[in-house]
């Protein structure tokens, strides 16, 4: 089955349609997604506007990048401490 990528605006729009009274079955049928996908989107994006979702996504990506940097620096520190304790 081919996966579809939906923009943040489309996801938020679908959630807003459900909040306005449209049934989840109708929304998922119209978008071509499973109802479980809609519930996952709702759990993740409920109550947010599209610009807030974009900002959240950017912050998560930046956080992942910073965690990788910290992990690399920690590994370097451990290696240098190990070399220092061996005393050539």
């Amino acid at each position: 089955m081919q996966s579809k990528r939906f923009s943040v605006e489309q996801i938020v729009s679908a959630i807003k349609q459900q909040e306005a009274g449209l049934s989840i079955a109708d929304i998922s049928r119209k978008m071509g997604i499973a109802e479980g996908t809609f519930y996952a989107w709702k759990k993740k994006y409920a109550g947010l506007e599209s610009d807030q979702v974009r900002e959240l996504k950017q912050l998560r990506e930046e956080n992942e990048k910073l965690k990788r940097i910290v992990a690399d620096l920690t590994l370097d520190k451990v290696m240098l401490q190990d070399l220092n304790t061996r005393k050539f």
Side-chain angles (χ1 to χ4, degrees), residues 31-44:
M31 294 184 78
I33 59 171
E35 287 187 28
T37 302
F38 181 83
Y39 284 114
W41 287 350
K42 187 174 179 181
K43 181 179 178 184
K44 191 172 184 180

Side-chain angles (χ1 to χ4, degrees), residues 12-23:
V12 171
S13 172
I15 293 171
K16 294 220 182 277
Q17 288 176 4
Q18 189 270 329
E19 290 172 353
L22 200 59
S23 72

Side-chain angles (χ1 to χ4, degrees), residues 4-17:
K4 297 181 181 178
R5 300 281 297 169
F6 292 95
S7 69
V8 174
E9 289 84 9
Q10 290 173 319
I11 294 170
V12 171
S13 172
I15 293 171
K16 294 220 182 277
Q17 288 176 4

Side-chain angles (χ1 to χ4, degrees), residues 1 3-5 13 18 20-21 32 34 39 47 49 60 62 74:
M1 184 174 215
S3 64
K4 297 181 181 178
R5 300 281 297 169
S13 172
Q18 189 270 329
Y39 284 114
E49 297 294 327
R60 285 182 178 166
E62 183 180 354
T74 303

